Amino acid sequence: MELEREEILSAIYHCVKCKLCSISSFHPNEEWLPLCPSGQFYGYQAFYAPGRLEIFREILEGELSEPTEGLLKAVYACTLCGACYEKCKQITSVGISLPELFEKQREELVKKGWALDAHKNIAEKIKETRNAYGEKHKYKYEAKSVYGAEVLYYIGCTARYRVPEIADAMLEIFDKLGIKYQVMEDEWCCGSVLLRTGRVEDAKALMAHNVEEIKNSGAKTVVFTCPGCLMTFKKNYPDMAVELVHSTQFLTRLGDMKVKKLGMEVAYHDPCHLGRDLGIYEEPRALLKEVADVKELKREREQAWCCGSGGGVKSAYDDFALWSAGERIKEAKEVGAEAIVSACPFCKRNLREAGEKEEMKVFDVVELVNRSLEG
Ligand code: SF4
Ligand code: SF4
C-alpha cells in the first residue's frame, strides 16, 4: 500500500503543469480545439488534469481535510475519458494513466466518506436490484436464449433498461445470421460505475457472481455492445478463459454479412472506453463503411471528444454531460452528417438527449447493421 502511495505520488510529481493535455493536436486540425470536457465546461484549473492531480497530491500529503462542495466537484466532474492521458504520455512516459490516478483519487475519497450522494444512490440501487438503474423487471430476451451456446451476449444495464434498441438490434442480428446465442439468466451489473466512482469494495460481489455464471454457461465467447462493460471485464475481472469481444469486433470477423447500403451520411463518434482504453478504432469504421457514407469528425480516434456521460458524470452532473454531448453534435453538423453513430449505449443515450433539440439522429453501429441486413 505504501509503495502504491509512492508510485502514485511519483506519477503526480511528473506533471509539469504544461496543460498540453487540454488541447487536441494543433497541426492536423489547424485550429485550437479543446480536448478536456471538464476543464472546458467549468473553466477553472482544478477541473483540468493537472489541477485534479494537485488536489490528489494535497489529499495524499494531508493538506486537505475538508470535503467542500468545490473539492468534490473537481474530483468527480471528470468523465475519465482519458483524452488528457493520450497527450500526456507523449511527453512524460508515466506508466499509470491519468484516469487510473483519478480512480485512485476517488477511492481515497470514498475511504474518507467523501462520496457523492448520486453515486451512493446508484450503489444502493445495485445492491437491491443488481442493476444500476434500480429496475425490477426481468429482461424479455431470456426466453430466446439457448443454454450452452458458444456465444454469450452480456447485455449490460444501460442497453437493458435505457437504450433497449441496441440489445434488440444485437439479438436480431444473431437471429438473422443464424448464430445461436445465450444471455445470462441472472446477469448482474458489471460493476463499472462502482469501480469508476471509487467504490471498489461494492463491486466485488457483482464480479464474483458474473464470473461464476459465465464459467457455468459453457460459453467460449462473450460479446458486449457496451465498451464500459467490456473494459471492466478485461481490466478488473480475473481471467475466465473465455474470449471477450466487442460487438463490432465480433461482426467484422464474420466477413461478408450481405449488408446493403442505407444511403445515409453519418459521422462516427469514438466511445472513450472502446477507442482510447481498448484500442478499437478500425472495426466500427469498417462496419459502418459497409452500410453508410462515413464522415470523420475533427477530433477523432485517440483525440476524440468525449460524449460526457462516463465516470459517474451523467448521474451527478447532467448539465455538464449534456453540454459535452452537445459539443459533439455541433461537430457532427459541421461535417454535414445527418446522423451521429457510436458503438456504446452510454454514448447513444447522452448524445440522443443532447441532440433532441438539434434534431440530430443518433444510432449505434449495430442498429444500422441490423437495418441493412437482408432477410
Ligand atoms: S500534459 Fe501531463 S504533464 Fe502536462 S499538464 Fe497535462 S497532466 Fe501535467
Ligand atoms: S479524463 Fe477527460 S475529463 Fe477527466 S481530466 Fe482527462 S480529459 Fe479531462
Side-chain angles (χ1 to χ4, degrees), residues 38-264:
S38 162
Q40 192 67 17
F41 181 72
Y42 290 101
Y44 292 100
Q45 297 302 329
F47 290 83
Y48 288 99
R52 212 159 260 133
L53 290 177
E54 188 58 16
I55 292 172
F56 196 10
R57 184 198 64 72
E58 290 174 6
I59 291 167
L60 290 175
E61 296 184 344
E63 292 172 22
L64 280 175
S65 51
E66 287 295 317
T68 62
E69 197 186 322
L71 171 92
L72 295 185
K73 199 174 218 180
V75 172
Y76 289 108
C78 161
T79 60
L80 304 178
C81 70
C84 49
Y85 184 57
E86 287 297 327
K87 300 302 291 290
C88 184
K89 70 185 179 190
Q90 293 171 14
I91 53 164
T92 59
S93 306
V94 171
I96 311 177
S97 78
L98 289 165
E100 273 177 273
L101 289 170
F102 301 148
E103 280 180 22
K104 287 280 173 204
Q105 184 177 26
R106 292 167 181 202
E107 266 182 72
E108 280 299 312
L109 260 60
V110 168
K111 277 187 214 152
K112 288 175 182 290
W114 300 357
L116 293 183
D117 286 344
H119 298 156
K120 280 187 216 159
N121 290 342
I122 294 176
E124 285 302 316
K125 281 179 187 165
I126 292 176
K127 210 171 181 183
E128 196 189 327
T129 62
R130 310 301 184 194
N131 70 77
Y133 300 103
E135 299 289 350
K136 296 199 169 68
H137 61 274
K138 266 272 192 187
Y139 192 63
K140 59 187 174 172
Y141 287 105
E142 271 139 26
K144 282 186 161 187
S145 175
V146 178
Y147 182 73
E150 285 196 5
V151 174
L152 186 148
Y153 173 35
Y154 182 90
I155 303 163
C157 304
T158 305
R160 268 178 189 263
Y161 298 112
R162 291 297 177 270
V163 267
E165 63 272 23
I166 293 180
D168 289 346
M170 191 68 234
L171 294 166
E172 280 175 27
I173 292 172
F174 287 141
D175 284 341
K176 285 178 183 173
L177 297 177
I179 296 167
K180 283 199 173 64
Y181 66 85
Q182 55 175 317
V183 293
M184 287 159 69
E185 208 181 314
D186 193 17
E187 181 188 294
W188 288 10
C189 170
C190 69
S192 173
V193 65
L194 300 174
L195 294 161
R196 306 306 147 230
T197 55
R199 314 185 74 87
V200 177
E201 287 304 312
D202 292 339
K204 285 183 177 163
L206 303 177
M207 296 196 285
H209 169 86
N210 286 331
V211 166
E212 200 54 29
E213 288 271 310
I214 289 172
K215 276 187 181 165
N216 293 336
S217 72
K220 292 193 168 54
T221 300
V222 184
V223 178
F224 298 81
T225 40
C226 178
C229 299
L230 174 58
M231 187 198 73
T232 301
F233 270 76
K234 280 187 177 274
K235 180 178 156 189
N236 303 103
Y237 278 53
D239 183 20
M240 293 181 285
V242 291
E243 184 191 32
L244 307 170
V245 291
H246 187 249
S247 52
T248 57
Q249 293 177 297
F250 180 83
L251 294 174
T252 307
R253 70 187 190 195
L254 292 177
D256 185 7
M257 289 186 287
K258 307 221 178 329
V259 290
K260 56 178 188 295
K261 283 260 188 189
L262 296 168
M264 293 172 72

Side-chain angles (χ1 to χ4, degrees), residues 242-311:
V242 291
E243 184 191 32
L244 307 170
V245 291
H246 187 249
S247 52
T248 57
Q249 293 177 297
F250 180 83
L251 294 174
T252 307
R253 70 187 190 195
L254 292 177
D256 185 7
M257 289 186 287
K258 307 221 178 329
V259 290
K260 56 178 188 295
K261 283 260 188 189
L262 296 168
M264 293 172 72
E265 293 202 331
V266 305
Y268 176 64
H269 164 75
D270 289 281
C272 303
H273 290 319
L274 193 66
R276 283 186 281 261
D277 287 325
L278 298 169
I280 301 169
Y281 296 108
E282 300 310 327
E283 291 90 335
R285 285 177 168 80
L287 281 174
L288 261 189
K289 279 177 187 157
E290 286 190 43
V291 300
D293 292 327
V294 184
K295 293 170 175 291
E296 286 291 352
L297 294 164
K298 279 184 191 160
R299 292 169 292 185
E300 39 89 55
R301 296 172 196 255
E302 288 86 354
Q303 300 200 75
W305 177 257
C306 170
C307 83
S309 62

